[in-house]
Amino acid sequence: MTETEQPSVALSVLLADPELGLSQVTGPAEGRRISTLGTTEIEAPTPCLVGGELLLTAGVGLPRDANGIDTYLQRVIAAGVAALGFGVVPV
């Protein structure tokens, strides 16, 4: 690892760990590396993102319409989020 590389773990390693109870819904896991974890319930988290995040949300602050969700996803993808996780337990 060089000075500019952040420590990271492959997304596939996290998905394969049965103790985490994760389920992949869509998108490729291959080549995705998680360097940090972030949680958010704000509608526009991109100013706080640096890339490589596993971004977790319960969906409380997400837009309520399909166009708003698409915009949210486009923004977090453009910010370099490696994976987006949704909590499934009611808030």
Side-chain angles (χ1 to χ4, degrees), residues 25-54:
V25 175
T26 188
E30 298 79 28
R32 302 281 179 157
R33 299 206 56 90
I34 307 298
S35 58
T36 188
L37 173 70
T39 60
T40 185
E41 296 306 326
I42 59 175
E43 189 171 338
T46 53
C48 305
L49 303 173
V50 296
E53 290 92 351
L54 167 53

Side-chain angles (χ1 to χ4, degrees), residues 1-9 33-36 50-53:
M1 182 169 53
T2 68
E3 286 184 33
T4 59
E5 292 177 346
Q6 288 185 324
S8 63
V9 63
R33 299 206 56 90
I34 307 298
S35 58
T36 188
V50 296
E53 290 92 351

Side-chain angles (χ1 to χ4, degrees), residues 44-67:
T46 53
C48 305
L49 303 173
V50 296
E53 290 92 351
L54 167 53
L55 186 61
L56 302 175
T57 183
V60 174
L62 292 179
R64 299 292 175 218
D65 60 83
N67 288 335

